[in-house]
Amino acid sequence: MELELKLLPEKIYDEAYIKQVCAQTMRISVEDIQAIRYLKRSIDARKKPVHYLLKVNVYLKGEAIDSDGIGFKLEHKTLKKKIAVVGFGPAGIFAA
């Protein structure tokens, strides 16, 4: 089953937490989930607060798993260098 999860970026999410959110969304037990395959990771910055959007494929016990699994790690990173955004058009506003 394919799900889209909306997560706040304040903390680092591990696989156990993602499984728990998927189980709550599907209203099943965490033990019923065999595996999770990450399909897409993006950021929704259109409104505050900013959210991570994760598109995942959830495999329940007894289902066949695709062999080309994709893995992502969600981490909060800080930049060591300063970045300058030039321009105040739509792309400049989004980049800032």
Side-chain angles (χ1 to χ4, degrees):
M1 172 182 248
E2 198 170 286
L3 295 176
E4 187 166 317
L5 307 175
K6 195 173 188 179
L7 306 170
L8 292 172
E10 274 99 30
K11 65 178 191 174
I12 298 172
Y13 297 101
D14 59 348
E15 180 116 8
Y17 181 77
I18 301 296
K19 273 188 178 182
Q20 181 182 3
V21 171
C22 290
Q24 288 174 352
T25 304
M26 297 172 67
R27 295 183 180 162
I28 60 172
S29 172
V30 176
E31 290 82 27
D32 293 336
I33 297 176
Q34 179 181 357
I36 295 176
R37 179 177 169 218
Y38 299 92
L39 302 174
K40 184 178 176 185
R41 175 180 71 170
S42 59
I43 296 175
D44 185 3
R46 293 176 290 179
K47 293 187 245 176
K48 288 189 179 184
V50 176
H51 287 90
Y52 282 129
L53 295 179
L54 278 182
K55 191 177 219 181
V56 297
N57 201 353
V58 178
Y59 296 97
L60 301 177
K61 291 204 179 205
E63 291 184 342
I65 300 175
D66 297 339
S67 61
D68 59 342
I70 302 170
F72 293 119
K73 286 220 180 251
L74 296 178
E75 301 173 359
H76 181 73
K77 293 190 177 186
T78 57
L79 300 174
K80 294 179 183 173
K81 297 180 182 179
K82 290 187 177 184
I83 296 175
V85 177
V86 179
F88 200 63
I93 293 170
F94 180 75

